[in-house]
Amino acid sequence: MKAKKEPKNFPVKKLNSFFRKSYTQKKLDKILKKIYIPEDKALIESLFSDKYEKGKKELVRIPRDKVFTKKELSQLKTLAKNIKANKGRIKLVPFIAVASFIAAIVILVTVFKNPVAKMGIRTAMQGIFGARCDIGSVNVEIFGAQITVNHLEQANADEPMKNLFQFDKLDLNFNLTQLLRAKFHAENIEISGIALGTERKVSGALPVKPKSAKEKEENNDSTGFYDALKAKTTSATANAIEDVLKKLQEYNPETIMRNINENLQTKTVAAEVQNDVKSLTETWKAKPAELQKDVNNFKTSAEKLTKLNAKNLKTPNDIKKAIEDIQTALKSGEKVKNGVDSTLNSFETDAKKVEGFKTKLENAVKTDTEMVKNTLPDLSVEGAKGFVTGTFDGFAYNLLGKYYPYLKKTISYAGTMKSSSSKDENAKKEAVKKAKKQARTESKRYSGRNVYWRKDTVPKLLIENVHGSGSGSGTSLDLKITNISSDMDKVGKPIVAKGVYNATNRTHNAGLTIDARSQSTSPLISGDYSGNNFPVNLNMAEKSNVQGVPSFSGTTSVKANLSADSDFSFKVGGSLEMNPVTLSAGDLQNEMVNRIYKNALAAVKSMNVKANAGFSEKSGIDLDISTDADKIISQALKESLKKELGNVQAEAEAKLKEKLAEYTGASNEQIAKFTEIGKKLKDSKSATEELNRQLEAKKKELEKQLTDKAKSEVSNKATKALKGKLPF
């Protein structure tokens, strides 16, 4: 088999002179701009790969050792001719046709341009903001390529008697050439005299129209956001506040007493003591009267003898008789005494039992009294750590629910831009693939002129710069927006808006970026906001039925950021630096709890709040809020509780003392009755002993008198006997 003949190769010197030359990189770049077929451009870029120095210049050329086939030489020759021929020219016939068309448009638009433009702007604004838009005048200059809008007022849908914004004048210069190609391209828009929140003389509310099927579809929550929000808000009911107030209730003397009453020993012990002592009292209550009767009988006989005047007894026999009567009385007294002693001995046995009952009751009272100290709740109020956070949770969920529809609309609009860009990008890729495939199948170039177009970088709508400003009554506004377009892939840049609004002692800074480029990895929407000296008045109590929910008022600095994507997921973060701030709440029913709670809230003079929230269809709603106010309130609660604790304890002890007195009253009464019986028995014993003592004393007195009398008689007898015997 005959081998296939290898194609003949030719050196660089056989190339067209255009390709034999050396060029600076700048010159080569200019040549490449005249090549509009990507494959041809790539080919030439690959050929000019040899760089070398010539004097002070750096040049590029086709390597001198490179070789080409005959087919390649022919292709490059044709390409060189096309590059040289690509200088552009004006064709008279098409130009006249275009000029005639423009003239027709000018004549037609001149009559209706201003009213139609005014109506179009008004309708568009009312559709966007859902409220009336008033426009002073609109002037469209076709040949001047300028649109002017004078005195526009856009009403606020939420407050119909106020304007959302207004401006004195809008100047717009557009590109007439692009307009003829059905594209709107403006390099600059200047808006002056912008003012926010001005009063209206006429209501800006629009007639309520039935929602269209499209609007109803847009309002349907296909993302599951509101289902997730409902689940979160149901559980976010300021549980921390309820926990703290419940904890404070434990420091109430009445609450403490209720807790103590459940474990009191005194009530049970007192009932037992009362029954036992009452039984003993019933047994002994008749004894004092019985003994007193014997004592009284003894007393009657004994008192006569104790009061006997010994001087009235003249004779020894009288004295002896009295002594004998006393002796008889003493025997009777001894009998009574023995009866009293016997009774007292038996009584003392029961008295020891009663003393044991009394000790048992006293111990129960002592134990229950000590219980006040042991039962006082711990000073820890851990629930206060989530006190303010729990309050802000519900508020944050309400904000998310309120503003999510606006965010959803913005995402939907930006998403359509991204979708459109993606479609255009896919169409471009398909076109390139088709062109490459066609180039591979073509065997030769046909005769005729190649027409090349520069890369189209102007979409159907492109506004490169918007600048708005306004000032007056102590306020000023400066707004800048760049690269507003309907196809960001063509422009290659996202929409970026930045604004600064200065009010009296207050500055607002905001930024917004919408990046709908099909190949971008950035979020579809991102934004940030900061403001200082911002008045805040959050009436949390109006949004909750939980007692004690605090409200916040003061001045704050705010920082916030947002990012969102076309799947309606978003992340938002922010911080509030409130200084000064005042926390307040409605009066609570319990006076002590109300006092402690109000003191704790008053301790917060400044606070920082940080929040991060997000949503995705997969993970639902995430919310994380933290604040240093929780720590401040927790510490303030502890200090307030510490001050109140002494009063609480004293009041609780006083109430317990009353309660214990109530429980021990009946038992103490029975003990007193029993004790009274013992006293009476002891009194009877004392009376008997006293009478016996007096009788013994009287007996001794009479015995002494009898002895003295006997001695006197003996002495007298002796004297008489001696008297007869003595000499004197």
Side-chain angles (χ1 to χ4, degrees):
M1 185 176 178
K2 190 176 181 180
K4 187 177 180 180
K5 188 177 180 181
E6 291 292 330
K8 186 178 180 180
N9 293 324
F10 297 91
V12 173
K13 65 181 181 179
K14 293 294 184 178
L15 287 173
N16 182 280
S17 62
F18 178 83
F19 291 104
R20 294 200 303 270
K21 294 179 181 179
S22 296
Y23 300 96
T24 64
Q25 186 62 48
K26 186 175 181 181
K27 178 65 175 177
L28 181 62
D29 289 340
K30 289 183 178 180
I31 293 171
L32 291 174
K33 287 182 180 180
K34 297 180 180 181
I35 303 173
Y36 303 117
I37 297 177
E39 290 79 2
D40 292 344
K41 184 176 183 179
L43 175 62
I44 293 175
E45 282 183 315
S46 65
L47 288 175
F48 283 86
S49 60
D50 183 19
K51 295 182 179 181
Y52 68 96
E53 297 278 343
K54 185 176 181 180
K56 295 183 179 181
K57 292 184 179 181
E58 183 181 60
L59 303 176
V60 292
R61 65 185 178 184
I62 297 175
R64 292 312 182 219
D65 58 351
K66 191 170 181 62
V67 295
F68 301 89
T69 64
K70 187 175 181 180
K71 183 179 179 180
E72 289 174 336
L73 288 176
S74 178
Q75 181 183 1
L76 291 174
K77 182 178 180 181
T78 303
L79 183 57
K81 289 180 179 180
N82 291 335
I83 293 173
K84 292 178 181 179
N86 189 22
K87 297 179 180 178
R89 67 180 62 183
I90 297 176
K91 295 184 178 181
L92 186 59
V93 174
F95 177 76
I96 294 173
V98 171
S100 300
F101 179 69
I102 293 174
I105 291 177
V106 170
I107 295 171
L108 181 63
V109 170
T110 301
V111 180
F112 300 105
K113 59 183 176 64
N114 292 345
V116 170
K118 184 175 181 179
M119 182 181 297
I121 294 172
R122 180 188 294 116
T123 303
M125 296 292 283
Q126 292 181 166
I128 293 171
F129 296 102
R132 181 172 173 174
C133 178
D134 298 318
I135 302 174
S137 64
V138 175
N139 184 38
V140 180
E141 296 289 343
I142 300 298
F143 290 112
Q146 184 180 39
I147 299 175
T148 303
V149 180
N150 294 309
H151 197 71
L152 181 146
E153 294 184 359
Q154 175 58 58
N156 189 337
D158 295 328
E159 297 180 76
M161 294 307 295
K162 281 191 175 183
N163 286 319
L164 191 63
F165 63 86
Q166 70 177 55
F167 59 77
D168 294 336
K169 188 176 182 181
L170 180 150
D171 282 322
L172 184 156
N173 295 308
F174 57 88
N175 188 314
L176 185 58
T177 303
Q178 294 295 339
L179 187 65
L180 295 175
R181 298 176 64 190
K183 296 180 179 182
F184 185 86
H185 177 199
E187 289 187 2
N188 296 289
I189 296 178
E190 186 71 29
I191 307 173
S192 59
I194 299 176
L196 307 178
T198 56
E199 299 292 333
R200 290 180 61 88
K201 296 180 179 179
V202 179
S203 173
L206 294 175
V208 179
K209 295 181 180 180
K211 291 185 178 180
S212 64
K214 183 178 179 181
E215 289 174 325
K216 290 179 180 178
E217 184 179 350
E218 288 177 351
N219 289 333
N220 290 334
D221 181 26
S222 59
T223 64
F225 173 82
Y226 287 104
D227 290 337
L229 183 66
K230 184 178 180 181
K232 290 288 187 180
T233 52
T234 301
S235 60
T237 55
N239 291 329
I241 294 177
E242 292 179 327
D243 290 343
V244 170
L245 295 181
K246 184 178 179 181
K247 183 72 175 177
L248 292 178
Q249 289 283 0
E250 296 178 14
Y251 292 88
N252 188 338
E254 295 178 359
T255 304
I256 295 173
M257 282 307 304
R258 281 197 299 271
N259 296 335
I260 290 175
N261 283 337
E262 296 176 359
N263 300 300
L264 280 180
Q265 300 178 20
T266 302
K267 186 176 182 179
T268 303
V269 173
E272 294 174 355
V273 170
Q274 179 186 352
N275 292 332
D276 292 340
V277 176
K278 184 177 181 181
S279 176
L280 293 174
T281 302
E282 290 294 326
T283 301
W284 288 99
K285 69 178 182 179
K287 283 297 180 181
E290 293 175 4
L291 289 179
Q292 191 63 37
K293 183 178 180 182
D294 294 338
V295 172
N296 289 339
N297 291 334
F298 173 57
K299 183 179 180 181
T300 301
S301 60
E303 280 184 344
K304 292 180 181 180
L305 295 173
T306 57
K307 293 179 180 180
L308 180 66
N309 190 348
K311 293 180 180 181
N312 294 332
L313 299 176
K314 303 299 184 182
T315 65
N317 289 331
D318 293 336
I319 295 172
K320 288 180 180 179
K321 179 67 172 62
I323 292 173
E324 290 174 358
D325 292 339
I326 289 173
Q327 190 63 38
T328 301
L330 284 171
K331 289 180 180 180
S332 177
E334 186 67 23
K335 183 178 179 180
V336 172
K337 179 180 178 297
N338 290 337
V340 171
D341 288 342
S342 176
T343 300
L344 271 174
N345 288 335
S346 298
F347 180 83
E348 287 298 329
T349 301
D350 288 343
K352 289 181 180 179
K353 293 181 181 179
V354 172
E355 192 64 30
F357 296 150
K358 184 179 179 182
T359 301
K360 183 179 180 181
L361 183 60
E362 288 174 348
N363 288 337
V365 170
K366 184 178 179 180
T367 299
D368 290 343
T369 303
E370 288 293 324
M371 193 187 302
V372 173
K373 298 177 182 178
N374 299 330
T375 310
L376 282 176
D378 184 12
L379 281 174
S380 174
V381 278
E382 295 299 323
K385 289 183 178 179
F387 188 87
V388 177
T389 300
T391 301
F392 273 107
D393 280 352
F395 177 73
Y397 286 130
N398 287 333
L399 282 182
L400 289 176
K402 180 178 180 181
Y403 290 105
Y404 181 71
Y406 301 104
L407 177 61
K408 186 179 178 183
K409 286 183 179 180
T410 306
I411 293 173
S412 296
Y413 176 71
T416 59
M417 297 171 65
K418 193 174 187 72
S419 175
S420 175
S421 297
S422 179
K423 288 179 181 178
D424 290 344
E425 183 68 19
N426 291 334
K428 291 175 185 175
K429 289 181 179 179
E430 289 298 325
V432 171
K433 287 181 180 179
K434 186 176 180 180
K436 287 182 178 180
K437 184 177 180 181
Q438 185 176 357
R440 285 195 298 268
T441 58
E442 289 180 349
S443 60
K444 63 177 183 178
R445 292 180 181 272
Y446 293 95
S447 60
R449 179 176 292 279
N450 292 320
V451 179
Y452 298 97
W453 299 93
R454 290 180 180 273
K455 185 179 179 181
D456 186 6
T457 59
V458 179
K460 293 185 179 298
L461 171 66
L462 174 60
I463 302 174
E464 295 184 20
N465 295 285
V466 176
H467 179 246
S469 62
S471 62
S473 301
T475 64
S476 65
L477 173 68
D478 189 74
L479 174 66
K480 294 180 180 179
I481 308 174
T482 60
N483 303 312
I484 301 174
S485 69
S486 59
D487 188 343
M488 295 185 194
D489 281 341
K490 282 190 174 182
V491 179
K493 298 177 182 178
I495 299 174
V496 178
K498 293 183 179 181
V500 179
Y501 177 60
N502 292 304
T504 305
N505 299 323
R506 193 176 310 127
T507 300
H508 304 268
N509 282 279
L512 178 68
T513 301
I514 299 177
D515 191 349
R517 293 175 293 176
S518 58
Q519 301 301 317
S520 175
T521 57
S522 300
L524 177 64
I525 298 173
S526 58
D528 59 82
Y529 170 82
S530 65
N532 62 345
N533 293 324
F534 196 77
V536 60
N537 189 3
L538 305 178
N539 192 345
M540 301 298 197
E542 290 182 351
K543 307 179 189 306
S544 174
N545 57 1
V546 178
Q547 188 182 29
V549 172
S551 294
F552 305 80
S553 61
T555 304
T556 183
S557 296
V558 181
K559 292 182 179 179
N561 56 77
L562 165 73
S563 64
D565 275 309
S566 54
D567 60 354
F568 297 101
S569 64
F570 67 85
K571 292 181 180 179
V572 60
S575 64
L576 300 176
E577 297 181 4
M578 300 184 186
N579 187 11
V581 66
T582 301
L583 275 66
S584 60
D587 292 333
L588 304 176
Q589 293 180 353
N590 184 285
E591 181 181 351
M592 186 204 71
V593 174
N594 186 64
R595 183 170 58 253
I596 294 174
Y597 183 53
K598 294 291 182 66
N599 288 340
L601 294 183
V604 181
K605 305 298 183 184
S606 64
M607 60 183 283
N608 295 325
V609 180
K610 294 183 178 180
N612 291 289
F615 167 75
S616 68
E617 189 172 356
K618 181 179 179 180
S619 60
I621 296 176
D622 292 322
L623 179 65
D624 181 22
I625 297 179
S626 62
T627 171
D628 58 353
D630 289 335
K631 184 178 180 181
I632 297 172
I633 289 179
S634 179
Q635 186 61 34
L637 285 174
K638 285 184 179 181
E639 292 177 358
S640 296
L641 283 174
K642 190 174 181 180
K643 292 178 182 178
E644 293 283 344
L645 193 57
N647 296 331
V648 170
Q649 184 174 341
E651 190 173 349
E653 288 176 349
K655 288 182 179 294
L656 179 61
K657 187 176 181 181
E658 293 176 3
K659 207 70 177 175
L660 294 178
E662 177 186 338
Y663 291 152
T664 59
S667 56
N668 286 332
E669 184 179 348
Q670 290 300 324
I671 292 173
K673 288 181 179 180
F674 185 85
T675 303
E676 184 63 25
I677 291 172
K679 183 176 180 300
K680 288 180 179 180
L681 292 177
K682 290 178 181 178
D683 288 346
S684 295
K685 180 180 179 180
S686 299
T688 302
E689 289 176 345
E690 178 62 23
L691 288 172
N692 285 332
R693 187 190 64 75
Q694 291 178 8
L695 287 174
E696 288 288 350
K698 183 58 71 174
K699 177 183 175 183
K700 288 180 179 180
E701 180 185 353
L702 292 176
E703 286 177 344
K704 184 176 182 302
Q705 184 178 351
L706 181 62
T707 300
D708 291 342
K709 204 164 191 63
K711 288 180 179 180
S712 177
E713 288 180 357
V714 171
S715 178
N716 289 337
K717 286 181 180 181
T719 302
K720 287 180 180 181
L722 289 174
K723 191 175 181 182
K725 294 180 180 182
L726 292 173
F728 47 80

